[in-house]
Amino acid sequence: MSSLNQRAPWRGQISAAGILIGCIGCVIITASSVYTALKMGALPWPTIFTSITALVLLRAVGRTSLNEANVTQIIMSAGSMVAGGLAFTIPGVWMLGLGAELSWIEIGGVALAGTLLGLVCTALIRRRFVEESDLEYPIGTAAAETLMASRAGGATGKRLFGSMAAAGIWCALRDLAGVIPAMIGALPIPGVAFGIYNSPMLLSVGFLVGGAAVAFWLAGGLIANFGIIVGGSAAGLWDVANAQGIVSSLGMGLMMGSGIGVVVRDILPAAFRSAHNGRRDDDRANAPARAFGKLDRSVLSLFVAAAALLVCLVLGLSPIACAVVVVLAFVTTIMSAQSVGQTGIDPMEIFGLIVLLVIAALGESDQVRLFFVAGVVAVACGLAGDVMSDFKTGKIIGTDPRAMWIGQAIGALIGCAVSVAVMCALLNAYGADAFGPGKLFVSAQASVVATMVSGIPSVPAFVLGLVAGVALYCLGIPSMMLGLGVYLPFYMTLSASLGAAVKIAYDRVASIRNARASGDATTNANTGTDETSHEETGIIVASGVLGGESIVGVIIALASVASGLLG
């Protein structure tokens, strides 16, 4: 393995095969990520999945360098965070009935401006937050361990593509042929969408998120639906319609409070420590000025200028608002890097909301432009979290930072185009009414942004959720997952919980089998056979299932758009 891990010149770590595989994978994963983020109100990190996929595909064409595989997976995964930034903000425009004021050019401007700012900021802060800090970056570290430990080969590829095909066929039978029901066990409970959604994707999300986090997700769903809606209505405290407004406001408050909790517990203390250390260390204080070289600083300056022009000319913000967005994008990407480095969580839409509120306080009243602000910052912060995790992976296995940054730029720019195209295709295929709570695309985070822009149904419930979200997060309780359970339709929560139950059973069975066959496992590891751990196998299969349903959903939408154009 040491020969595979040997550092190569940065140009040698970017190959034509790696770029081609990465670009094709980026298109597929970005399209899948748009669909997943809109449909599920969540976006699991794709890094482990792309790391193994890149290694499998490169080895299939005779490439064995871990650094090349790392750069390839970076290209594949970068667009997913651009997709998340857009999906978590822009659909709120359609929910408020303002779609006529929004064009695909403006959505593209949001994506590109956020991408350029994210790339610039991560280049500037890389040394400080990766090379010189003790941040763990759990996602990046896990990706590095996966690449170093994996013996992925033919069997792993069969699991990956086989699970994608199985999920795709299942969803085609459900959505196209209509021979499989979409909902199972539905019950007519007033105000509660009770049932099991026949979705391989939802099962996979629950599997990937895991039992502990999904337990809080389920707890939030039970409190909201059977405590507030059913219980409160039966007790005569409010009617069902008012109960639903209380539930949505409480859920939004919990999710936003969780994001603020990240700032309070994780970011601000580290920022104070960093500032104190910076005053004592002039070399570190000047570290952000050293990106990759003089030429790169010129390129980064050009990126900032281009982003500023997009914000002013395409998105229509004033020069003062533009300057504030650029400056605060830098601040929030630092917050994003700190959050991902410590927790693996990137509340990108919360950072977008923070800047949105600042711009609104400066006098911007146009609602669509406020969504633009949130979108630009969310894309920048989403990309920053992904980039910094990848830099951590590269530090561990010896990938050159320049090669990784170039890979991120390639993948992110492709992701801009794909994200915008898929979002417009879904809009054209299903209409603006398909986005929002209880709709085909729940778009939970975008709904939160829309509510903050237009007005909160129950301000007391929102404030309670906000305070509780901050307090619970600071106590180590995943208030974001609790808020998702409160906010999302109960059928989604119940279906994801089944996926988490499958994960618990899978881990239990695997641990028993591994205990019985530990000697064989050691032999396989020493001989280099195609053997992956049960964790890696579970991630591969679940990710393949998730991708399979997403891809079928996108294909159906594209086919619907094409049919409409031809008709």
Side-chain angles (χ1 to χ4, degrees):
M1 182 63 68
S2 60
S3 63
L4 300 180
N5 224 4
Q6 189 174 13
R7 180 184 294 272
W10 72 269
R11 288 184 179 85
Q13 296 175 3
I14 303 179
S15 66
I19 292 175
L20 178 61
I21 292 171
C23 289
I24 294 172
C26 181
V27 172
I28 297 172
I29 290 170
T30 301
S32 171
S33 296
V34 173
Y35 190 87
T36 302
L38 293 173
K39 188 86 171 176
M40 302 294 106
L43 184 59
W45 286 95
T47 308
I48 305 298
F49 169 65
T50 54
S51 296
I52 299 176
T53 303
L55 202 59
V56 169
L57 296 179
L58 284 172
R59 284 180 174 172
V61 297
R63 316 289 294 196
T64 58
S65 167
L66 289 189
N67 291 317
E68 186 179 351
N70 187 32
V71 174
T72 301
Q73 77 83 14
I74 286 171
I75 298 173
M76 295 175 72
S77 66
S80 66
M81 294 299 107
V82 179
L86 288 181
F88 289 166
T89 54
I90 296 301
V93 176
W94 305 323
M95 296 177 198
L96 297 184
L98 302 173
E101 303 177 32
L102 179 66
S103 69
W104 70 268
I105 295 176
E106 290 169 323
I107 300 175
V110 169
L112 185 55
T115 294
L116 294 175
L117 290 174
L119 290 171
V120 170
C121 294
T122 50
L124 295 177
I125 67 177
R126 175 194 62 84
R127 185 188 299 272
R128 184 63 170 271
F129 283 87
V130 176
E131 300 288 342
E132 299 173 348
S133 79
D134 58 355
L135 293 173
E136 294 182 359
Y137 290 100
I139 303 299
T141 300
E145 292 172 350
T146 298
L147 285 170
M148 290 188 293
S150 179
R151 295 291 188 272
T156 301
K158 290 177 181 178
R159 295 187 189 105
L160 170 64
F161 296 112
S163 60
M164 289 180 69
I169 293 170
W170 185 271
C171 295
L173 292 174
R174 183 193 66 195
D175 297 335
L176 293 177
V179 299
I180 298 176
M183 194 71 69
I184 301 171
L187 297 178
I189 303 174
V192 178
F194 187 92
I196 299 173
Y197 186 40
N198 188 7
S199 168
M201 175 191 289
L202 257 179
L203 291 173
S204 295
V205 169
F207 187 97
L208 292 170
V209 172
V214 175
F216 284 96
W217 185 349
L218 178 61
L222 293 173
I223 291 170
N225 290 275
F226 295 96
I228 297 175
I229 295 179
V230 175
S233 300
L237 299 177
W238 40 64
D239 58 25
V240 171
N242 287 331
Q244 289 174 323
I246 292 170
V247 163
S248 65
S249 301
L250 180 65
M252 288 186 292
L254 283 166
M255 287 189 288
M256 189 169 181
S258 178
I260 296 173
V262 172
V263 177
V264 172
R265 193 188 78 172
D266 300 328
I267 296 175
L268 290 182
F272 287 134
R273 289 194 300 269
S274 178
H276 179 68
N277 293 336
R279 285 192 295 270
R280 297 188 303 171
D281 190 339
D282 292 338
D283 181 64
R284 288 189 177 187
N286 292 326
R290 304 190 305 270
F292 304 119
K294 292 182 179 180
L295 176 62
D296 295 310
R297 289 199 293 270
S298 300
V299 172
L300 298 181
S301 299
L302 182 62
F303 277 16
V304 173
L309 287 174
L310 285 169
V311 172
C312 278
L313 301 181
V314 177
L315 306 183
L317 272 71
S318 68
I320 293 177
C322 172
V324 172
V325 169
V326 170
V327 171
L328 291 184
F330 183 78
V331 174
T332 52
T333 51
I334 291 176
M335 296 164 66
S336 175
Q338 189 76 41
S339 175
V340 174
Q342 291 184 314
T343 68
I345 299 171
D346 190 358
M348 61 185 82
E349 73 283 359
I350 302 299
F351 297 136
L353 269 176
I354 292 171
V355 181
L356 178 154
L357 295 174
V358 171
I359 297 299
L362 292 176
E364 180 59 66
S365 59
D366 185 278
Q367 291 182 331
V368 175
R369 288 175 184 164
L370 291 176
F371 280 102
F372 292 161
V373 170
V376 169
V377 175
V379 169
C381 291
L383 187 60
D386 184 65
V387 173
M388 300 305 285
S389 286
D390 290 334
F391 279 146
K392 181 67 173 182
T393 303
K395 179 186 177 183
I396 294 173
I397 69 173
T399 312
D400 191 278
R402 185 189 298 266
M404 290 186 288
W405 190 86
I406 292 173
Q408 284 283 356
I410 294 171
L413 292 173
I414 293 173
C416 286
V418 174
S419 298
V420 174
V422 171
M423 286 188 68
C424 291
L426 293 175
L427 175 65
N428 291 331
Y430 299 105
D433 290 339
F435 298 85
K439 305 291 183 63
L440 178 62
F441 301 105
V442 295
S443 310
Q445 290 83 354
S447 180
V448 173
V449 178
T451 302
M452 292 298 294
V453 170
S454 64
I456 300 168
S458 174
V459 174
F462 175 79
V463 173
L464 175 63
L466 190 71
V467 174
V470 175
L472 290 173
Y473 184 86
C474 290
L475 291 173
I477 297 173
S479 50
M480 178 68 75
M481 303 307 299
L482 191 69
L484 277 175
V486 172
Y487 190 80
L488 292 177
F490 189 70
Y491 71 85
M492 297 185 68
T493 299
L494 184 58
S495 304
S497 299
L498 292 177
V502 172
K503 176 69 162 60
I504 293 172
Y506 173 79
D507 287 342
R508 178 61 179 164
V509 171
S511 65
I512 294 173
R513 293 181 60 187
N514 288 343
R516 292 175 178 174
S518 58
D520 293 339
T522 302
T523 302
N524 288 336
N526 291 333
T527 58
T529 58
D530 180 25
E531 184 74 19
T532 55
S533 69
H534 86 274
E535 292 90 353
E536 290 174 342
T537 300
I539 290 171
I540 280 292
V541 173
S543 298
V545 168
L546 189 152
E549 179 168 349
S550 301
I551 292 167
V552 169
V554 171
I555 290 173
I556 292 173
L558 292 174
S560 176
V561 172
S563 176
L565 292 175
L566 294 175

